[in-house]
Amino acid sequence: MQKIIDLLIEKDVLEEAKLQLFIEKYGEAKLTLPNLIKVRLLQQKKMEEVLLQELRLQNIELNDLEGIAGINTTDLLKKQAETLGIKYINIPDIEIDYKLIKRLPLKQLIRYSALPLYVEDSQVTVAFENPHDFEAKGAIERFFHGKIMEVALGRKEIIHQVLSQLHENEQAEEYAEDIKTDLEEGGNEKSDDNESSAVLKLIELILSSAITKGASDLHIEATEKHCLVRYRVDGMLQENFRLGHNIFSPLSSRMKLLSNLDIAEKRKPQDGRFTKIVNGRVFDFRVSTLPTMFGESIVMRVLDKTKALVKLEEAGMNPTSYKKFLNGIHSPYGIVLVTGPTGSGKTTTLYGALNEIMNVKDKTITVEDPVEYQMEGIQQVQINANAGLDFPAALRSILRQDPDKIMIGEIRDQETLRIAIQAALTGHLVISTLHTNSAVAAIGRMIDMGIESYLISGAVVAIQGQRLVRKICQSCKEEAVLSSTLKEDIKKYVPENSKFYVGKGCPVCSGSGYVGREMISEVLPISDTLSTMIANGVTKDELSKQANSEGFFSMFQDGLQKALEGKTTVEEIIRVARS
């Protein structure tokens, strides 16, 4: 936003002095382009002229403008196409002729950011990222002998996404063919240098592709006829490569070597890990193998070390939840719990909390299974059940290390929970995770685990419940038409005639309509009243009623607020957060 404001000032379509007066009168929070247009400090037409000019000169990218209120990037592209006398094509709306693309060298298409779309009679329609590039148009036109090329404008990110996937598929097929040849020749690799073998190149491609797509897990599976490579992106699995079954054995053997596993053992599950630099960044991969009917299932969890550095304010909490959670973790003692199902970002929140409360004056110790991210300035303990170091044993030892703050990766049993609560009651701040469906449900869960209610009421400071919801893809976002059932479900939580949005699916989001994930959360601070009610053993419904009277803002409400802001869909909130 600031970059665009600076640009508009530089191009004399916005006066800096008047802008400062606006900020003094209305505050920074009201500084949006629609508000500047409303008070006539900015003219929509002049602003669009400047943005179109800068886009043409490639001084700004379309991505710089995405998500800024008052700028519709699709309208800008349509106007850009109109000034050039060509048409803008929304690529997700059409059926791409992939046979046509295969007739051209992929390297040339990538070089010139051009995507042939379809043929009609003697005319070929090609979408270009930059229709001003005469060299690109000339180079591509030479491949269509006797046909007229119609130049169209397409979204850069969609063109890149389609071409990138085609390039990956082409490389995977090439490496698979090399592996097949090696096997037929008796397993001798073509290169003397093992690091450049086809299997390692295929692994590099799989890892690189997964990281680029933002995968949290990689699944390599043997079926009767194929070796499947699937990625879990935004919580959903999607197939990326389908290779021949004969590729699985050399691929799995190499994966096991990387993870320091026994390559000869195919009858028992194994666990390992390895660290690798992918796309210039360091990642840890936690590997698990499981014997199946047609081979093994190999699953790799991607651990991005940079996520440990996440700031709590950037984790995605709404301002209300953030303030309540912050108060909880800055308590001098007590236990703060983060709850939610597997894959809801609990560990990331814990590390964000550690970053927030870490202090040179305090001793902070964590006990984890496994240690996912290494952090400076704190002592991290890795659970080793084979050596007798389980969570209770580790916690007992930690308490003799004079800690101020303790982080427990996960509370799984009564013994761990009891020690954690005792530590909280004796002057330590303890933060941990618990598997429950909501913040209020965590109280009942602890009682079910055999902990006395008076201990819970005295130890627990705050409980956060969280989920991850998928964000709408900005490349294919459009206004949604809600069904009558959905409207009925949410009518008491949202204003009448509220607008919601949906992604209709495009190559950027692999047809899902979603890209990335956003946290929705609820935080329940344990007030004196709630503490007394917990000690007296009241029901979950009574606790919920009291929490609501104290201003409790549920995950479902938080999710609907994010849907109103156009970040996610109502369907996604119903799927993830409706209890």
Side-chain angles (χ1 to χ4, degrees):
M1 173 68 176
Q2 190 56 50
K3 184 178 178 181
I4 303 306
I5 293 286
D6 292 343
L7 176 67
L8 296 174
I9 291 170
E10 183 190 327
K11 298 297 177 182
D12 296 326
V13 296
L14 181 62
E15 289 184 40
E16 191 170 4
K18 289 182 178 178
L19 178 66
Q20 289 305 319
L21 289 172
F22 176 90
I23 294 169
E24 285 169 20
K25 185 175 181 180
Y26 300 105
E28 289 273 2
K30 295 288 183 183
L31 181 56
T32 65
L33 297 178
N35 284 344
L36 292 177
I37 291 166
K38 193 175 179 180
V39 297
R40 298 185 180 178
L41 287 185
L42 184 64
Q43 289 181 30
Q44 179 92 24
K45 189 178 178 183
K46 285 188 176 179
M47 177 185 77
E48 287 179 352
E49 283 173 2
V50 167
L51 295 178
L52 283 169
Q53 176 72 5
E54 295 302 301
L55 281 170
R56 187 179 72 78
L57 295 172
Q58 296 185 318
N59 290 334
I60 57 171
E61 295 276 346
L62 205 66
N63 283 344
D64 296 333
L65 308 177
E66 291 287 9
I68 297 177
I71 298 178
N72 186 317
T73 52
T74 302
D75 285 349
L76 276 177
L77 284 170
K78 285 177 180 176
K79 284 173 182 173
Q80 187 180 355
E82 197 179 313
T83 58
L84 293 168
I86 59 175
K87 64 181 177 183
Y88 164 71
I89 292 184
N90 189 31
I91 298 169
D93 288 346
I94 62 161
E95 193 174 328
I96 300 171
D97 184 349
Y98 286 98
K99 288 181 181 176
L100 173 65
I101 297 173
K102 284 185 177 178
R103 285 161 48 187
L104 280 76
L106 196 54
K107 284 182 180 177
Q108 290 287 82
L109 294 177
I110 292 169
R111 180 184 171 187
Y112 293 116
S113 288
L115 182 64
L117 299 173
Y118 53 84
V119 181
E120 280 182 347
D121 301 325
S122 60
Q123 186 169 282
V124 182
T125 301
V126 182
F128 285 85
E129 170 200 327
N130 181 14
H132 297 280
D133 191 337
F134 293 105
E135 182 192 345
K137 289 191 284 189
I140 300 301
E141 193 170 24
R142 283 196 288 273
F143 291 105
F144 301 113
H145 305 296
K147 291 193 183 290
I148 301 163
M149 185 177 79
E150 182 189 29
V151 175
L153 176 64
R155 269 187 183 269
K156 173 184 175 179
E157 62 268 29
I158 295 181
I159 293 172
H160 284 202
Q161 180 80 12
V162 175
L163 294 177
S164 174
Q165 188 59 55
L166 288 169
H167 182 55
E168 283 179 5
N169 291 342
E170 194 178 84
Q171 281 184 301
E173 287 170 15
E174 182 187 318
Y175 299 150
E177 199 57 43
D178 287 347
I179 294 168
K180 187 181 172 185
T181 305
D182 289 344
L183 291 169
E184 288 169 356
E185 291 175 358
N188 295 318
E189 293 176 350
K190 287 182 178 179
S191 170
D192 293 333
D193 179 5
N194 285 346
E195 291 304 306
S196 62
S197 70
V199 179
L200 273 180
K201 285 179 181 175
L202 181 58
I203 289 171
E204 290 278 355
L205 175 66
I206 289 169
L207 297 181
S208 173
S209 174
I211 298 303
T212 302
K213 289 178 170 62
S216 61
D217 300 85
L218 289 80
H219 293 242
I220 300 173
E221 301 156 331
T223 66
E224 189 176 4
K225 295 180 180 177
H226 297 102
C227 168
L228 298 183
V229 179
R230 300 194 292 168
Y231 302 152
R232 188 174 294 281
V233 179
D234 301 335
M236 300 289 178
L237 277 174
Q238 54 182 238
E239 188 178 308
N240 212 67
F241 301 114
R242 182 178 284 257
L243 308 167
H245 180 79
N246 58 348
I247 303 302
F248 182 80
S249 184
L251 187 60
S252 66
S253 294
R254 188 68 74 166
M255 282 292 187
K256 285 181 178 180
L257 278 173
L258 279 172
S259 314
N260 290 318
L261 301 178
D262 183 355
I263 63 170
E265 182 55 77
K266 298 180 181 179
R267 298 166 300 168
K268 291 195 299 189
Q270 296 186 73
D271 293 300
R273 67 189 297 160
F274 65 93
T275 301
K276 199 164 183 61
I277 297 172
V278 183
N279 300 344
R281 286 157 63 200
V282 180
F283 290 89
D284 280 343
F285 295 90
R286 208 165 72 208
V287 183
S288 168
T289 71
L290 181 72
T292 63
M293 278 186 69
F294 302 106
E296 288 173 286
S297 169
I298 299 174
V299 177
M300 288 182 281
R301 167 65 56 91
V302 182
L303 301 174
D304 183 355
K305 293 196 170 187
T306 59
K307 282 189 180 176
L309 306 173
V310 113
K311 291 181 179 175
L312 199 57
E313 63 266 31
E314 294 169 5
M317 289 184 220
N318 63 67
T320 308
S321 293
Y322 173 66
K323 190 176 178 182
K324 289 176 181 176
F325 189 70
L326 208 59
N327 288 338
I329 62 173
H330 280 293
S331 299
Y333 57 86
I335 185 166
V336 177
L337 292 171
V338 179
T339 73
T342 301
S344 58
K346 299 189 297 297
T347 305
T348 303
T349 302
L350 284 192
Y351 277 103
L354 282 178
N355 275 329
E356 174 66 35
I357 63 177
M358 205 161 49
N359 190 316
V360 72
K361 296 175 184 176
D362 293 325
K363 176 143 184 163
T364 304
I365 306 180
T366 76
V367 51
E368 305 169 67
D369 182 24
V371 172
E372 294 196 3
Y373 306 107
Q374 292 161 20
M375 291 180 70
E376 287 286 335
I378 62 174
Q379 304 301 310
Q380 294 174 276
V381 178
Q382 166 77 55
I383 289 300
N384 186 346
N386 293 332
L389 186 66
D390 55 11
F391 274 106
L395 277 172
R396 286 192 199 97
S397 299
I398 281 172
L399 290 173
R400 293 194 288 273
Q401 288 279 312
D402 186 31
D404 297 287
K405 294 160 185 173
I406 301 167
M407 188 268 263
I408 306 169
E410 184 185 340
I411 291 175
R412 300 174 181 172
D413 52 57
Q414 188 206 84
E415 195 176 1
T416 306
L417 178 56
R418 189 171 290 280
I419 298 168
I421 285 178
Q422 293 292 355
L425 289 169
T426 53
H428 302 87
L429 176 69
V430 181
I431 58 174
S432 186
T433 69
L434 192 66
H435 284 276
T436 63
N437 290 328
S438 67
V440 175
I443 304 294
R445 172 89 171 111
M446 286 187 280
I447 292 169
D448 291 342
M449 288 171 79
I451 304 298
E452 296 80 1
S453 55
Y454 69 88
L455 290 177
I456 296 168
S457 69
V460 180
V461 173
I463 306 168
Q464 167 158 312
Q466 67 179 63
R467 298 280 194 285
L468 293 177
V469 293
R470 293 177 293 167
K471 292 196 291 187
I472 297 171
C473 172
Q474 295 301 311
S475 298
C476 58
K477 182 179 174 181
E478 62 181 20
E479 196 172 328
V481 179
L482 298 189
S483 66
S484 54
T485 311
L486 276 180
K487 285 179 182 175
E488 188 64 29
D489 272 352
I490 64 172
K491 70 177 184 182
K492 67 178 180 180
Y493 299 104
V494 298
E496 206 173 333
N497 301 320
S498 296
K499 280 188 181 180
F500 295 99
Y501 298 88
V502 69
K504 60 184 175 182
C506 68
V508 168
C509 57
S510 302
S512 69
Y514 299 94
V515 171
R517 287 192 288 179
E518 175 96 0
M519 182 203 288
I520 58 170
S521 62
E522 60 187 24
V523 177
L524 177 68
I526 305 300
S527 64
D528 290 342
T529 306
L530 281 170
S531 181
T532 304
M533 290 174 75
I534 293 166
N536 291 333
V538 303
T539 64
K540 179 184 170 184
D541 288 342
E542 288 175 292
L543 286 174
S544 296
K545 189 176 178 182
Q546 177 61 29
N548 290 333
S549 72
E550 293 178 8
F552 180 66
F553 192 68
S554 73
M555 266 188 290
F556 187 65
Q557 290 170 286
D558 186 26
L560 288 178
Q561 187 57 45
K562 284 186 163 67
L564 279 169
E565 292 166 9
K567 292 178 179 177
T568 187
T569 63
V570 174
E571 288 86 351
E572 183 70 356
I573 299 305
I574 297 282
R575 180 183 75 83
V576 170
R578 192 58 150 160
S579 53

PDB file of all heavy atoms in Angstrom, residues 474-485:
ATOM      1  N   GLN A 474      -6.583 -15.299  -5.110  1.00  0.00           N
ATOM      2  CA  GLN A 474      -6.838 -13.943  -5.608  1.00  0.00           C
ATOM      3  C   GLN A 474      -6.946 -13.891  -7.134  1.00  0.00           C
ATOM      4  O   GLN A 474      -7.502 -12.948  -7.688  1.00  0.00           O
ATOM      5  CB  GLN A 474      -5.726 -13.000  -5.140  1.00  0.00           C
ATOM      6  CG  GLN A 474      -5.675 -12.794  -3.632  1.00  0.00           C
ATOM      7  CD  GLN A 474      -6.963 -12.219  -3.062  1.00  0.00           C
ATOM      8  OE1 GLN A 474      -7.491 -11.231  -3.559  1.00  0.00           O
ATOM      9  NE2 GLN A 474      -7.483 -12.845  -2.022  1.00  0.00           N
ATOM     10  N   SER A 475      -6.418 -14.921  -7.802  1.00  0.00           N
ATOM     11  CA  SER A 475      -6.433 -14.920  -9.274  1.00  0.00           C
ATOM     12  C   SER A 475      -7.792 -15.290  -9.847  1.00  0.00           C
ATOM     13  O   SER A 475      -8.061 -15.019 -11.017  1.00  0.00           O
ATOM     14  CB  SER A 475      -5.380 -15.886  -9.815  1.00  0.00           C
ATOM     15  OG  SER A 475      -4.101 -15.484  -9.412  1.00  0.00           O
ATOM     16  N   CYS A 476      -8.630 -15.975  -9.054  1.00  0.00           N
ATOM     17  CA  CYS A 476      -9.945 -16.366  -9.590  1.00  0.00           C
ATOM     18  C   CYS A 476     -11.066 -16.034  -8.601  1.00  0.00           C
ATOM     19  O   CYS A 476     -12.103 -16.683  -8.572  1.00  0.00           O
ATOM     20  CB  CYS A 476      -9.960 -17.850  -9.955  1.00  0.00           C
ATOM     21  SG  CYS A 476      -9.579 -18.980  -8.592  1.00  0.00           S
ATOM     22  N   LYS A 477     -10.814 -15.004  -7.780  1.00  0.00           N
ATOM     23  CA  LYS A 477     -11.792 -14.608  -6.755  1.00  0.00           C
ATOM     24  C   LYS A 477     -12.986 -13.907  -7.396  1.00  0.00           C
ATOM     25  O   LYS A 477     -12.826 -13.057  -8.272  1.00  0.00           O
ATOM     26  CB  LYS A 477     -11.102 -13.673  -5.767  1.00  0.00           C
ATOM     27  CG  LYS A 477     -11.970 -13.197  -4.615  1.00  0.00           C
ATOM     28  CD  LYS A 477     -11.121 -12.304  -3.705  1.00  0.00           C
ATOM     29  CE  LYS A 477     -11.917 -11.651  -2.617  1.00  0.00           C
ATOM     30  NZ  LYS A 477     -11.094 -10.785  -1.764  1.00  0.00           N
ATOM     31  N   GLU A 478     -14.185 -14.264  -6.950  1.00  0.00           N
ATOM     32  CA  GLU A 478     -15.400 -13.604  -7.443  1.00  0.00           C
ATOM     33  C   GLU A 478     -16.453 -13.626  -6.337  1.00  0.00           C
ATOM     34  O   GLU A 478     -16.328 -14.374  -5.359  1.00  0.00           O
ATOM     35  CB  GLU A 478     -15.929 -14.295  -8.709  1.00  0.00           C
ATOM     36  CG  GLU A 478     -16.335 -15.739  -8.498  1.00  0.00           C
ATOM     37  CD  GLU A 478     -16.841 -16.405  -9.764  1.00  0.00           C
ATOM     38  OE1 GLU A 478     -16.537 -15.899 -10.857  1.00  0.00           O
ATOM     39  OE2 GLU A 478     -17.530 -17.433  -9.648  1.00  0.00           O
ATOM     40  N   GLU A 479     -17.471 -12.802  -6.505  1.00  0.00           N
ATOM     41  CA  GLU A 479     -18.520 -12.744  -5.485  1.00  0.00           C
ATOM     42  C   GLU A 479     -19.293 -14.057  -5.457  1.00  0.00           C
ATOM     43  O   GLU A 479     -19.577 -14.652  -6.489  1.00  0.00           O
ATOM     44  CB  GLU A 479     -19.468 -11.571  -5.760  1.00  0.00           C
ATOM     45  CG  GLU A 479     -20.324 -11.222  -4.553  1.00  0.00           C
ATOM     46  CD  GLU A 479     -21.127  -9.928  -4.743  1.00  0.00           C
ATOM     47  OE1 GLU A 479     -20.640  -9.015  -5.438  1.00  0.00           O
ATOM     48  OE2 GLU A 479     -22.236  -9.875  -4.198  1.00  0.00           O
ATOM     49  N   ALA A 480     -19.617 -14.501  -4.252  1.00  0.00           N
ATOM     50  CA  ALA A 480     -20.299 -15.786  -4.093  1.00  0.00           C
ATOM     51  C   ALA A 480     -21.804 -15.595  -3.956  1.00  0.00           C
ATOM     52  O   ALA A 480     -22.277 -14.572  -3.463  1.00  0.00           O
ATOM     53  CB  ALA A 480     -19.760 -16.501  -2.859  1.00  0.00           C
ATOM     54  N   VAL A 481     -22.549 -16.593  -4.416  1.00  0.00           N
ATOM     55  CA  VAL A 481     -24.002 -16.622  -4.207  1.00  0.00           C
ATOM     56  C   VAL A 481     -24.268 -17.748  -3.217  1.00  0.00           C
ATOM     57  O   VAL A 481     -24.066 -18.925  -3.518  1.00  0.00           O
ATOM     58  CB  VAL A 481     -24.754 -16.888  -5.537  1.00  0.00           C
ATOM     59  CG1 VAL A 481     -26.249 -16.932  -5.281  1.00  0.00           C
ATOM     60  CG2 VAL A 481     -24.403 -15.828  -6.577  1.00  0.00           C
ATOM     61  N   LEU A 482     -24.678 -17.393  -2.008  1.00  0.00           N
ATOM     62  CA  LEU A 482     -24.873 -18.387  -0.953  1.00  0.00           C
ATOM     63  C   LEU A 482     -26.224 -19.080  -1.092  1.00  0.00           C
ATOM     64  O   LEU A 482     -27.220 -18.455  -1.472  1.00  0.00           O
ATOM     65  CB  LEU A 482     -24.789 -17.736   0.428  1.00  0.00           C
ATOM     66  CG  LEU A 482     -23.477 -17.068   0.833  1.00  0.00           C
ATOM     67  CD1 LEU A 482     -23.536 -16.697   2.312  1.00  0.00           C
ATOM     68  CD2 LEU A 482     -22.283 -17.945   0.578  1.00  0.00           C
ATOM     69  N   SER A 483     -26.246 -20.361  -0.765  1.00  0.00           N
ATOM     70  CA  SER A 483     -27.505 -21.107  -0.765  1.00  0.00           C
ATOM     71  C   SER A 483     -28.351 -20.653   0.422  1.00  0.00           C
ATOM     72  O   SER A 483     -27.839 -20.080   1.396  1.00  0.00           O
ATOM     73  CB  SER A 483     -27.223 -22.604  -0.645  1.00  0.00           C
ATOM     74  OG  SER A 483     -26.653 -22.898   0.622  1.00  0.00           O
ATOM     75  N   SER A 484     -29.632 -20.932   0.370  1.00  0.00           N
ATOM     76  CA  SER A 484     -30.544 -20.515   1.449  1.00  0.00           C
ATOM     77  C   SER A 484     -30.171 -21.200   2.765  1.00  0.00           C
ATOM     78  O   SER A 484     -30.312 -20.612   3.844  1.00  0.00           O
ATOM     79  CB  SER A 484     -31.989 -20.837   1.069  1.00  0.00           C
ATOM     80  OG  SER A 484     -32.108 -22.208   0.722  1.00  0.00           O
ATOM     81  N   THR A 485     -29.666 -22.447   2.676  1.00  0.00           N
ATOM     82  CA  THR A 485     -29.259 -23.173   3.897  1.00  0.00           C
ATOM     83  C   THR A 485     -28.093 -22.472   4.583  1.00  0.00           C
ATOM     84  O   THR A 485     -28.084 -22.301   5.815  1.00  0.00           O
ATOM     85  CB  THR A 485     -28.833 -24.619   3.537  1.00  0.00           C
ATOM     86  OG1 THR A 485     -29.824 -25.210   2.718  1.00  0.00           O
ATOM     87  CG2 THR A 485     -28.629 -25.454   4.782  1.00  0.00           C
TER      88      THR A 485
END
